[in-house]
């Protein structure tokens, strides 16, 4: 039986604070916590090796240590704007176990001296938002939030903020802009949010899952958490598996678990439907794995980086031989072109143009050279932008075309005139004289 | 857009210099400024669209890429948001292929949905996109014409315009002064930042996102502000154009004359742009200490009056007479008078007023000098106007001319000849001016037919402000130059000082004679000649505390 650190209360009705407390919840919010200094708390998280579960995998303790103290108020913002295609863990987590998130926020709040915290939830997650609001109300009534938590003298208020469903608001500075009431567009960095974020104050932006791991770490110790997983990718991770598997869903496994175990094991997905063609291991922006690569892959940050892909948000998308990768890429490029915030030029124009080329190809009007142009455009917009959205589009374009080139070429070849020389009508020789 | 406003740090003349390495050579640049400005000081231009010296940095066009050294080695960064650091290494497109490639890539994206309508675009010739394309473009298209551009002028880009009508993006009437051609917009958001941080009224915003984003006013609202025409200057492409200038002239035919706005005591720095002897527009001229890069719509449209209702000859007893005859007659009247009242004006240059002073001095006790204005004085708007419509008020004070116009009204009966220059007294306050009608001979020097020339017994046409060379002292105590644009409606017109010189037989032959007379009266001007004033003016010491 693997140890669960985040999803242990699933299916137990932990939405209700009474049930949650019976299951051992809120036991960390007590004298033991308030006896710890902020630095000891940050040190605990650093020793546990916990890394941000939102996608980038940045060490959480290190992020916290960047937050300056003693000046402006520090804000904690929970990033629950889960928008990556394929990812669906956070809203399940919030819906099944909202109190664990609140408990994690109190632990983080104590570590950073936070007085006000926000949960920025994707607007479409209406059930999750209702669950959260109800849980927060219960927590206030039980004295875990508000003034003077459990007689400790520490106070914390939590507000739930509904986003309007823009993918870019998952980027932390865009999220902060949106939270402040501006258009959700990323800011220039530096300054980073840890120094100057919401209302120009130090702001810590953490993913839902990251914070929900904190109660277990606090209870069982950093060493117990670090013992799980691999030396550099410690602990467990929640994966949202979708696509051609027998039992898609949200699964928590220790980092370093082989990908095929996650897909084949009876405990988890119970096998692939049909013949496997490829796997996207970490959400739509992570490069795709072919069958051979998938067989070798273990689910941790380093092993996937070695395969030139990434763990990302842990959204595993499985597809079999019946799926057209051209169609998959077309829907991804459409997604990124639609979700580009339109602030900086390369992403605004590039994602849209790449999408229009692929649409033309899919419509059977592809020409030789179109794919090369797409690859070159993707390369050009991947390194010139403000935020990583454009490179998240470039990754799939380069990898899908690179790894399934024959299939793309076959689609281009559907156009009987695909090999014709490119002629601009007005400049055809002899057009004027 | 966010709550963050990083105004660019511009190099100050006395800034400390630090050494940085640009393309392998060690150079000295001012400390603390951004790389665009620092590279400019050593003669390297960095292509950019969204960056503007007087607007907050937005960093969205990504055109000003350079390579700088960081903890992970040389990497691309935008020059407009990278501060100069002592000892830093910078590579521009001259030494780095990566920078060249990045700039070409961004330029290709800028043009991906930009129409190729330069021949009919009003901005052609002064368009950043054209200039930067020549410097940093690919010069070879690989776009497929059958995929085409996203044409934002089409009705697909529907939105509600200022009049509450649903419309597409071509020829959008944003308000009383500005027209938007959506398809040319490259979304640099300079205009949005201008309205927000300079004009102080957010009237423009970028609607939607991705490549279907477009510039718009808020639904049902219009772009209407005293400074809104500045957005047409800062627009790097031909998306925003002013109704007053749209399709009037191709900009490469225009010649430029640097001058200042004489109808405000801040003296906003401007260029009068002219062709074929006619002024076609007025553009702001950057002066960081005076008007930054901005001028008000009032200043900008001042050129329209230069060709309207001009008094190009003299008129004596309601009959038109040649100028020379009118001037001779004025001389006879003044010299033969019992007592002359001369009215100097703060809308005229120091030279003109010095001439009037010399005239009064030459007539000895027979003449008296008056000045002042009945124009309403407003308050500074914090952008490019002081609110005082008398441009040279401080100059008059320095010449020792007191503001005693009301005294003249009270004592009007003592005089038999009145000489007014640069004042439209009857238009400013007809009731007070009525008392002056008691003076039998009223000589008026004016560039225009106005209410005062209508009451004159002898009127003499003179050159207007844009047609004279001279100096004015603004409310900061800064002496600034006016220059003469070759746009005279009649070649016979002379500046006020010259007419006055003829009347008083002063024998002055150029404005330098007049300036020397002004210099004699103002100690602060000692040692400052026209060249010393320069294009940015010169702060006079000890004039304003």
């Amino acid at each position: 039986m693997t140890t669960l650190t985040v999803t242990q209360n699933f299916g137990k009705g932990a939405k209700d604070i009474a049930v949650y407390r019976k299951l051992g919840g809120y036991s960390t919010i007590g004298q033991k916590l308030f006896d710890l200094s902020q630095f000891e708390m940050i040190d605990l998280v650093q020793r546990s090796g916990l890394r941000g579960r939102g996608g980038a995998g940045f060490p959480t303790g290190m992020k916290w240590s960047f937050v300056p103290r003693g000046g402006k108020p520090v804000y904690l913002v929970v990033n629950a704007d889960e928008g990556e295609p394929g990812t669906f863990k956070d809203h399940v987590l919030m819906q099944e176990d909202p109190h664990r998130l609140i408990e994690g926020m109190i632990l983080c709040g104590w570590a950073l001296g936070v007085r006000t915290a926000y949960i920025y939830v994707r607007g479409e997650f209406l059930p999750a938002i209702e669950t959260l609001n109800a849980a927060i109300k219960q927590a206030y009534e039980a004295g875990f939030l508000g003034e003077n938590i459990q007689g400790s003298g520490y106070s914390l208020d939590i507000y739930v903020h509904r986003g309007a469903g823009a993918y870019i608001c998952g980027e932390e500075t865009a999220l902060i802009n949106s939270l402040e009431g501006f258009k959700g567009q990323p800011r220039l960095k530096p300054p980073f949010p840890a120094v100057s974020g919401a209302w120009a104050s130090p702001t810590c932006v953490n993913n839902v899952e990251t914070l929900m791991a904190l109660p277990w770490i606090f209870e069982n110790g950093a060493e117990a958490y670090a013992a799980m997983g691999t030396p550099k990718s410690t602990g467990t991770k929640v994966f949202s598996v979708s696509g051609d598997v027998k039992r898609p869903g949200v699964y928590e496994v220790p980092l370093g678990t082989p990908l095929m175990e996650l897909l084949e094991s009876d405990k988890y997905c119970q096998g692939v439907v049909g013949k496997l063609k490829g796997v996207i291991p970490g959400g739509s922006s992570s490069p795709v794995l072919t069958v051979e690569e998938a067989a070798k892959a273990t689910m941790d940050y380093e092993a996937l980086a070695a395969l030139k892909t990434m763990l990302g948000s842990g959204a595993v998308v499985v597809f079999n031989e019946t799926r057209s990768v051209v169609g998959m890429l077309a829907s991804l490029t459409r997604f990124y072109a639609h979700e580009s915030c339109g602030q900086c030029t390369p992403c605004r124009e590039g994602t849209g143009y790449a999408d229009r080329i692929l649409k033309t190809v899919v419509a059977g009007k592809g020409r030789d050279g179109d794919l090369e142009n797409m690859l070159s455009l993707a390369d050009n917009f991947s390194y010139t932008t403000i935020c990583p959205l454009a490179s998240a589009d470039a990754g799939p374009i380069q990898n899908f075309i690179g790894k399934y080139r024959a299939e793309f070429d076959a689609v281009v070849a559907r156009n009987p005139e695909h090999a014709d020389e490119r002629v601009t009508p007005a400049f055809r020789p002899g057009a004027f004289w | 857009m966010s709550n963050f406003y990083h105004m660019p740090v511009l190099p100050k003349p006395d800034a400390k210099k630090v050494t940085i390495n640009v393309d392998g050579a060690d150079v000295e640049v001012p400390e603390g400024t951004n790389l665009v400005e620092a590279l400019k000081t050593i003669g390297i231009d960095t292509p950019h669209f969204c960056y503007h010296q007087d607007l907050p940095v937005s960093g969205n066009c990504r055109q000003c890429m350079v390579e700088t050294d960081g903890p992970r080695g040389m990497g691309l960064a935008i020059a407009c948001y990278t501060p100069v650091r002592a000892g830093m290494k910078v590579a521009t497109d001259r030494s780095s292929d990566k920078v060249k490639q990045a700039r070409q890539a961004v330029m290709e994206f800028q043009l991906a949905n930009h129409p190729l309508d330069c021949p009919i675009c009003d901005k052609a010739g002064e368009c950043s996109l054209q200039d930067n394309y020549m410097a940093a473009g690919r010069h070879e298209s690989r776009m497929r014409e059958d995929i085409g551009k996203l044409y934002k002028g089409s009705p697909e880009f529907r939105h509600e315009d200022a009049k509450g009508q649903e419309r597409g993006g071509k020829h959008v009437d944003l308000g009383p002064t500005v027209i938007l051609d959506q398809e040319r917009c490259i979304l640099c958001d300079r205009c949005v930042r201008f309205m927000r941080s300079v004009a102080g009224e957010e009237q423009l915003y970028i609607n939607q996102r991705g490549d279907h984003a477009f510039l718009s006013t808020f639904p049902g609202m219009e772009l209407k502000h005293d400074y809104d025409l500045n957005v047409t200057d800062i627009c790097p492409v031909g998306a925003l154009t002013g109704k007053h200038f749209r399709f009037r002239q191709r900009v490469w035919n225009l010649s430029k004359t640097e001058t200042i706005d004489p109808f405000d005591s801040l003296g906003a720095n401007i260029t009068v742009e002219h062709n074929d002897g006619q002024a076609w527009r007025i553009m702001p001229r950057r002066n960081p200490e005076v008007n930054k890069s901005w001028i008000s719509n009032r200043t900008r449209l001042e050129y329209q009056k230069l060709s309207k209702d001009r008094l190009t000859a003299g008129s004596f007893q309601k009959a038109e007479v040649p100028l020379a005859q009118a001037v001779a007659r004025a001389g006879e009247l003044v010299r033969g008078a019992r007592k002359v009242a001369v009215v100097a004006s703060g809308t005229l240059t120091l030279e003109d007023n010095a001439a009037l002073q010399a005239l009064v001095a030459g007539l000895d006790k027979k003449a008296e000098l008056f000045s002042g204005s009945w124009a309403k004085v407003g308050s500074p708007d914090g952008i490019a106007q002081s609110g005082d419509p008398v441009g040279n008020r401080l100059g008059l004070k320095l010449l020792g001319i007191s503001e005693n116009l009301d005294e003249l009204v009270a004592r009007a009966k003592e005089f038999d000849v009145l000489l007014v220059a640069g004042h439209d007294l009857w238009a400013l306050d007809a009731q007070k001016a009525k008392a002056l009608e008691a003076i039998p001979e009223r000589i008026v020097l004016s560039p225009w037919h106005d209410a005062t020339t209508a009451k004159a017994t002898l009127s003499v046409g003179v050159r207007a402000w844009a047609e004279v060379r001279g100096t004015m002292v603004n409310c900061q105590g800064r002496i600034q130059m006016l220059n003469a644009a070759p746009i005279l409606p009649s070649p016979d017109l002379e500046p006020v000082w010259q007419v006055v010189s003829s009347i008083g037989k002063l024998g002055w032959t150029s404005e330098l004679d007049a300036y020397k007379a002004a210099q004699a009266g103002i100690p602060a001007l000692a040692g400052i000649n026209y060249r010393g004033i320069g294009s940015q003016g010169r702060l006079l010491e000890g004039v304003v505390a």
Side-chain angles (χ1 to χ4, degrees):
Chain A
M1 185 67 199
T2 38
T3 317
L4 300 179
T5 63
V6 179
T7 60
Q8 60 269 54
N9 288 352
F10 273 31
K12 294 177 185 165
K15 269 186 224 185
D16 187 54
I17 194 162
V19 179
Y20 182 68
R21 293 191 76 172
K22 209 174 282 169
L23 289 165
Y26 286 124
S27 59
T28 60
I29 313 301
Q31 206 50 48
K32 189 181 153 207
L33 170 66
F34 299 119
D35 283 346
L36 280 186
S37 74
Q38 296 187 345
F39 296 101
E40 286 167 324
M41 190 66 199
I42 294 174
D43 181 57
L44 175 87
V45 177
Q46 260 171 344
R47 275 188 290 123
S48 76
L50 177 65
R51 292 169 70 164
R53 300 297 193 223
F58 194 79
T60 307
M62 199 191 288
K63 195 177 203 172
W64 290 7
S65 68
F66 293 150
V67 176
R69 257 151 268 263
K72 290 179 169 179
V74 179
Y75 293 100
L76 167 66
V77 179
V78 181
N79 186 347
D81 189 69
E82 184 174 49
E84 184 94 352
T87 314
F88 47 86
K89 63 181 176 71
D90 287 344
H91 87 271
V92 178
L93 290 172
M94 287 187 290
Q95 215 156 330
E96 286 290 329
D97 206 357
H99 286 291
R100 184 171 297 276
L101 175 60
I102 295 168
E103 193 175 343
M105 287 174 76
I106 299 169
L107 294 174
C108 173
W110 174 251
L112 299 176
V114 174
R115 178 69 180 76
T116 309
Y118 298 90
I119 308 177
Y120 186 96
V121 193
R122 193 179 167 88
E124 287 93 328
F125 293 168
L126 200 54
I129 290 164
E130 282 166 359
T131 312
L132 270 177
N133 277 328
I136 288 170
K137 192 161 170 258
Q138 285 180 333
Y140 268 105
E141 280 161 7
F144 289 110
L145 288 178
E147 298 284 333
N148 193 10
I149 294 171
Q150 301 296 306
S152 64
Y154 174 63
S155 309
L156 175 70
D157 285 313
I158 297 182
Y159 301 94
V160 175
H161 183 95
R162 269 185 84 178
Y167 173 63
I168 191 59
C169 289
E171 202 274 351
E172 55 185 4
T173 54
L175 186 151
I176 289 168
N177 267 354
S178 172
L179 185 70
E180 288 182 8
F182 294 97
K183 198 170 177 180
Q185 291 182 325
R187 292 176 182 174
L188 295 178
K189 281 157 271 188
F192 288 93
V195 178
S196 180
W199 296 283
S201 303
T203 304
C204 176
V205 185
N206 274 136
N207 180 253
V208 172
E209 191 190 337
T210 316
L211 291 170
M212 285 178 76
L214 293 177
W216 194 93
I217 296 173
F218 190 80
E219 215 164 1
N220 299 281
E223 284 66 31
Y225 193 79
M228 290 186 286
T230 68
K232 279 192 172 168
S233 305
T234 61
T236 61
K237 169 93 186 83
V238 180
F239 290 95
S240 24
V241 189
S242 60
D244 296 318
V245 287
K246 292 202 177 102
R247 201 172 66 134
V250 174
Y251 300 104
E252 185 179 355
V253 297
L255 284 162
T257 306
L259 173 59
M260 292 320 283
E261 186 189 327
L262 181 65
L263 301 185
E264 305 284 353
S265 163
D266 284 345
K267 279 191 293 183
Y268 308 124
C269 300
Q270 300 177 348
V272 177
V273 178
K275 189 163 173 267
L276 185 67
K277 186 171 179 182
V279 180
I280 300 172
S284 63
S285 48
S286 64
V288 63
L289 294 174
T290 59
V291 182
E292 301 79 52
E293 287 166 333
K296 289 186 289 192
T298 58
M299 300 305 274
D300 58 84
Y301 295 101
E302 287 71 32
L304 289 178
L307 289 168
K308 294 200 171 64
T309 179
M310 55 189 187
L311 188 71
S313 57
V316 181
V317 182
V318 185
F319 54 98
N320 66 20
E321 287 287 354
T322 64
R323 311 289 171 189
S324 157
V325 286
V326 184
M328 282 176 69
L329 183 61
S331 73
L332 281 182
T333 54
R334 196 183 66 209
F335 172 80
Y336 285 105
H338 181 252
E339 292 293 346
S340 166
C341 80
Q343 183 179 204
C344 68
T345 311
C347 173
R348 178 180 70 231
E349 309 292 346
T351 53
Y353 197 73
D355 180 45
R356 276 181 301 179
I357 295 179
L358 195 57
K359 261 187 198 144
T360 315
V361 170
V362 171
K365 291 179 192 156
R367 290 239 189 97
D368 291 357
D370 279 354
L371 297 176
E372 275 70 26
N373 272 354
M374 251 186 102
L375 288 172
S376 160
L377 287 177
D379 183 43
N380 282 347
F381 62 63
S382 66
Y383 65 91
T384 45
T385 52
I386 295 176
C387 85
L389 188 138
S391 55
D393 188 20
I397 291 177
Q398 288 164 340
N399 281 278
F400 273 95
I401 297 181
K403 291 181 178 173
Y404 300 95
R405 181 68 198 228
E407 220 171 301
F408 282 89
D409 283 338
V411 175
V412 173
R414 273 190 224 152
N415 180 6
E417 294 166 356
H418 70 90
D420 287 5
E421 213 178 314
R422 174 177 176 271
V423 185
T424 309
F427 298 115
R428 198 183 302 121
F432 297 122
W433 53 87
Chain B
M1 272 301 177
S2 72
N3 63 349
F4 274 93
Y5 274 115
H6 310 282
M7 284 303 290
V9 183
L10 303 176
K12 295 209 172 61
D14 53 346
K16 206 183 130 205
K17 298 267 182 168
V18 292
T19 306
I20 65 171
N21 184 298
V22 178
D23 296 329
D26 284 338
V27 290
E28 293 217 319
V29 296
E31 192 182 26
T33 179
N34 60 54
L35 274 180
V36 172
E37 297 297 336
L39 292 176
K40 207 186 279 172
T41 62
I42 55 165
I44 301 177
D45 275 338
T46 313
H48 60 263
F49 298 105
C50 69
Y51 173 76
H52 189 282
Q53 287 178 316
D54 297 315
L55 290 174
V57 176
S58 169
N60 65 47
C61 77
R62 318 304 289 176
Q63 190 63 56
C64 59
M65 291 275 180
V66 290
E67 267 194 292
T68 57
D69 59 337
R72 280 179 245 162
M74 294 295 273
L76 286 170
I78 48 172
C80 67
Y81 196 62
T82 309
V84 167
R85 200 161 24 80
M88 82 192 297
K89 264 191 189 161
V90 181
T92 69
D93 61 333
R94 305 191 308 171
S95 72
S96 162
D97 282 343
K98 214 170 150 191
V99 172
K100 207 170 180 171
Q101 246 171 29
R103 288 185 187 174
Q104 279 188 352
V106 174
M107 181 58 68
E108 187 182 22
F109 290 127
Q110 295 285 13
L111 292 168
N113 288 321
H114 188 86
L116 279 172
D117 65 345
C118 301
I120 58 152
C121 176
D122 239 22
K123 201 77 171 190
E126 53 175 4
C127 168
S128 306
L129 196 55
Q130 284 181 328
D131 297 348
N132 290 343
Y133 175 71
M134 296 318 287
R138 274 173 60 89
H139 297 217
E140 172 205 339
S141 172
R142 51 177 178 173
M143 301 297 187
R144 269 179 62 179
E145 67 281 358
D146 54 341
I147 293 177
K149 292 175 188 276
L150 210 62
Y151 179 62
K152 290 189 191 171
S154 78
E156 284 163 47
F157 282 86
R158 293 201 83 77
H159 67 284
E160 200 179 309
D161 78 355
K163 298 185 175 79
Q165 281 173 333
E166 283 269 305
R167 59 163 303 130
K170 187 71 187 158
H171 196 89
V172 183
D173 195 346
L174 287 185
T177 54
V178 179
I179 298 258
L180 164 69
D181 286 309
Q182 197 77 65
E183 80 282 14
R184 294 183 190 138
C185 177
I186 57 166
L187 298 162
C188 68
D189 93 352
R190 271 184 181 181
C191 50
V192 179
R193 280 176 284 147
F194 172 82
M195 289 311 292
R196 188 174 185 181
S197 70
V198 179
E201 277 181 41
E202 213 159 337
Q203 297 181 342
L204 292 170
Y205 78 120
I206 290 172
N207 198 347
Q208 277 289 357
R209 53 183 191 177
D211 60 2
H212 37 284
F214 62 90
L215 179 69
S216 171
T217 52
F218 294 99
M221 315 271 275
E222 53 182 13
L223 177 66
K224 194 175 176 187
H225 191 274
D226 288 345
Y227 283 82
D228 58 9
L229 276 168
N230 285 295
V231 300
T232 64
D233 304 338
I234 55 176
C235 183
V237 292
L240 295 166
T241 44
K243 288 181 188 171
H244 66 292
F245 181 68
R246 203 174 147 90
F247 304 136
R248 298 292 199 287
Q249 283 281 301
R250 300 298 344 215
V251 296
W252 54 83
N253 290 332
L254 296 174
S255 308
K256 297 174 186 190
T257 301
E258 296 187 347
T259 183
I260 60 163
D261 170 20
F263 299 110
D264 186 86
S265 71
L266 191 65
N269 289 205
I270 55 177
T271 50
V272 174
E273 305 201 0
H274 48 86
N275 180 28
D276 278 345
Q278 193 181 339
W280 290 98
R281 65 171 178 182
I282 287 174
M283 293 289 273
R285 185 157 58 86
R286 186 165 192 279
N287 188 333
E289 307 297 327
V290 180
N291 56 325
K292 299 233 173 73
S293 303
W294 323 121
I295 55 172
S296 68
N297 288 1
R298 199 266 311 147
T299 307
R300 191 181 297 265
L301 300 178
E302 210 63 68
Y303 77 94
Q304 293 174 335
K305 296 181 194 155
L306 291 174
S307 54
K308 234 187 260 168
D309 272 343
R310 286 299 294 268
L311 184 58
T312 50
S315 102
F316 179 55
Q317 290 166 351
K318 307 279 175 204
E320 195 172 298
V321 292
L323 269 176
Q325 215 174 312
V327 172
R329 178 78 195 138
E332 287 163 21
L333 278 173
V334 168
R335 289 192 300 274
R338 179 170 49 82
K339 189 140 197 209
V340 188
V342 177
V343 183
S345 166
T347 58
L348 297 175
T349 58
L350 285 180
E351 286 75 358
D352 296 340
N353 285 307
L356 291 168
Q357 242 181 345
L359 172 71
V360 171
L363 291 169
D364 213 8
K365 296 247 164 81
K366 268 168 56 183
E368 219 172 309
L369 188 61
F370 296 91
S371 176
S373 174
W374 293 327
K376 279 197 189 73
V377 178
S379 51
D381 59 12
I383 307 175
Q385 285 188 117
S386 68
D388 181 356
V390 182
N392 202 16
R393 196 185 285 271
L394 195 56
L396 283 191
K397 197 176 149 198
L398 290 176
L399 280 171
I401 303 174
S402 47
E403 302 202 5
N404 50 357
L405 203 51
D406 290 335
E407 196 189 319
L408 170 64
V409 172
R411 292 169 43 206
K413 294 208 168 68
E414 295 176 23
F415 301 94
D416 62 345
V417 173
L418 172 74
L419 176 65
V420 179
H423 273 292
D424 193 357
L425 294 170
W426 272 263
L428 288 171
D429 198 329
Q431 271 189 330
K432 279 188 187 171
K434 203 165 171 40
L436 301 177
E437 287 168 35
I439 305 174
E441 292 293 346
R442 299 179 293 274
I443 307 168
V444 175
L445 312 186
S446 169
W448 291 284
H449 288 289
D450 55 25
T452 304
T453 56
K455 299 282 182 191
T457 53
L458 171 65
S459 59
V460 182
V462 290
R463 293 190 188 182
W465 60 275
E467 297 146 10
V468 298
R469 188 153 178 249
T471 52
M472 284 194 177
V473 181
N474 81 351
C475 59
Q476 303 165 322
R478 179 181 297 272
I479 185 163
Q480 304 192 103
M481 285 290 303
L482 285 89
N483 285 303
I487 50 172
L488 287 179
S490 157
D492 301 334
L493 289 174
E494 288 173 341
V496 172
W497 65 262
Q498 205 166 352
V499 174
V500 173
S501 164
S502 306
I503 292 172
K505 298 213 188 288
L506 301 176
W508 292 355
T509 54
S510 94
E511 57 270 5
L512 290 172
D513 294 333
Y515 181 67
K516 271 178 205 142
Q519 254 180 330
I522 305 175
L525 287 184
I528 301 176
N529 57 12
Y530 279 179
R531 185 168 298 204
I533 295 168
S535 67
Q536 301 275 288
R538 181 151 165 181
L539 206 58
L540 297 178
E541 281 183 32
V543 168
V544 174

